[in-house]
Amino acid sequence: MANPRDVLLRPYITEKTTAMMAENKYTFVVPLTANKVEIRQAVEQIFKVKVLDVNTIRVMGKTKRMGKNIGKRPDFKKAIVKLAPGERIEFFEGV
């Protein structure tokens, strides 16, 4: 993946991830094919910060029903990015 904007699909914002921002950890939804090196490079290029650590989690999509029809939400991958002390991502401020 050449373009870093193709690696970071969107921020993943929940109560838990908002609390993790106090520890300098930010969470993103990334493609299933993205690896930790690509995620680190994308965050460093886009937000101009120093990344210390990247953890990834593959989240399996839930099975959902609408009446008698059964469907499945798509699988996705979460990336938890830990930044160097003193660094922050302004994009998340005020969330």
Side-chain angles (χ1 to χ4, degrees), residues 15-72:
E15 286 184 29
K16 186 174 182 179
T17 60
T18 305
M20 288 170 52
M21 288 181 205
E23 304 169 22
N24 244 8
K25 294 181 180 179
Y26 297 88
T27 309
F28 298 93
V29 175
V30 296
L32 291 171
T33 56
N35 61 38
K36 292 182 180 187
V37 175
E38 291 172 337
I39 295 165
R40 173 190 302 266
Q41 291 171 348
V43 172
E44 287 180 347
Q45 281 182 356
I46 293 170
F47 299 108
K48 307 286 190 269
V49 293
K50 178 73 176 122
V51 174
L52 293 181
D53 193 23
V54 177
N55 293 317
T56 57
I57 302 135
R58 184 172 174 155
V59 181
M60 303 307 280
K62 294 181 179 181
T63 303
K64 291 291 185 178
R65 287 179 53 124
M66 289 290 284
K68 66 178 183 176
N69 300 320
I70 298 175
K72 183 178 174 296

Side-chain angles (χ1 to χ4, degrees), residues 5-20:
R5 300 210 179 264
D6 292 338
V7 177
L8 302 180
L9 300 179
R10 66 181 184 270
Y12 190 74
I13 300 174
T14 63
E15 286 184 29
K16 186 174 182 179
T17 60
T18 305
M20 288 170 52

